[in-house]
Amino acid sequence: MSSQIVRSASRAATARSLLSASKNSRFYSEGRAVSAAAAVTFSGKLPYLVSSFGRAGSSTASRSWLSGAIAIPAAAYTLQEQEVHAAEMERTFIAIKPDGVQRGLISEIISRFERKGFKLVAIKIVVPSKEFAQKHYHDLKERPFFNGLCEFLSSGPVIAMVWEGEGVITYGRKLIGATDPQKSEPGTIRGDLAVVVGRNIIHGSDGPETAKDEIKLWFKPEDLVNYTSNAEKWVYESN
Ligand code: DAT
Ligand code: MG
């Protein structure tokens, strides 16, 4: 446990320098709020962190939740972890299209992202209007299939999601597979579960800018949930 904490502390130092360089106070304050909640789970389990890892100011958020010397340093530990993730994690927009929903593939698709180690931070079921679909696919408006594509996307429920994780934009596209399922590798979502390009069951953002724009189009900022998954320390630790 102690070596793990040392590693966490050094990763947190990197994250802190990133954070101060970018002056991104939004992530920082979200990290504090989540760490305060997470401290409830850890309180009493890491008492030896008191002198080594407590740091000035880090316990402020936890005081309204907890009192006592044990909980405060535990909050410092989870604060550092949260800072690391806030600084490093990217997000992507993923949607299960009406064909995936109608074919009963929601849990199959979600489980592929979940088992990989990515974290779900927003999800909803929605029937988009055709105008909304046109906004979503605006970069394809010159293509001959544009109208049919937008008709299709707005024809039934879509599962709209935001997934978070290191490299999730690029790797999400790998999990999804090539646009044309005839060319998608076996093992990918489209390769395993779809046959033709017009019914390829899933959408994923194709780059950081698209991800940002699509998340903004489909979700309000307050729909995105910041939390620490119990799996994170097992998914992200290095040796
Ligand atoms: P992707 O969904 O892999 O990002 P894209 O952005 O090029 O692919 O196209 C968006 C969707 O449009 C795609 O998932 C399915 C549909 N589409 C693409 N090419 C098509 C084609 N040649 N005929 C019919 N539909 C097509
Ligand atoms: Mg695309």
Side-chain angles (χ1 to χ4, degrees), residues 111-143:
S111 80
R112 290 182 182 221
F113 282 82
E114 196 176 37
R115 287 184 313 189
K116 169 72 176 166
F118 293 140
K119 183 167 77 178
L120 184 63
V121 296
I123 185 166
K124 66 181 172 186
I125 185 162
V126 59
V127 181
S129 66
K130 189 166 175 195
E131 292 68 37
F132 190 92
Q134 286 165 342
K135 272 190 203 156
H136 173 76
Y137 279 129
H138 66 93
D139 58 324
L140 297 172
K141 62 175 179 292
E142 309 301 337
R143 307 295 294 273

Side-chain angles (χ1 to χ4, degrees), residues 97 136-137 139-140 173 179 190 202-207 210 214:
K97 299 184 198 176
H136 173 76
Y137 279 129
D139 58 324
L140 297 172
R173 294 284 297 193
T179 302
R190 287 168 173 165
I202 181 166
H203 167 85
S205 306
D206 63 8
T210 335
E214 291 175 352

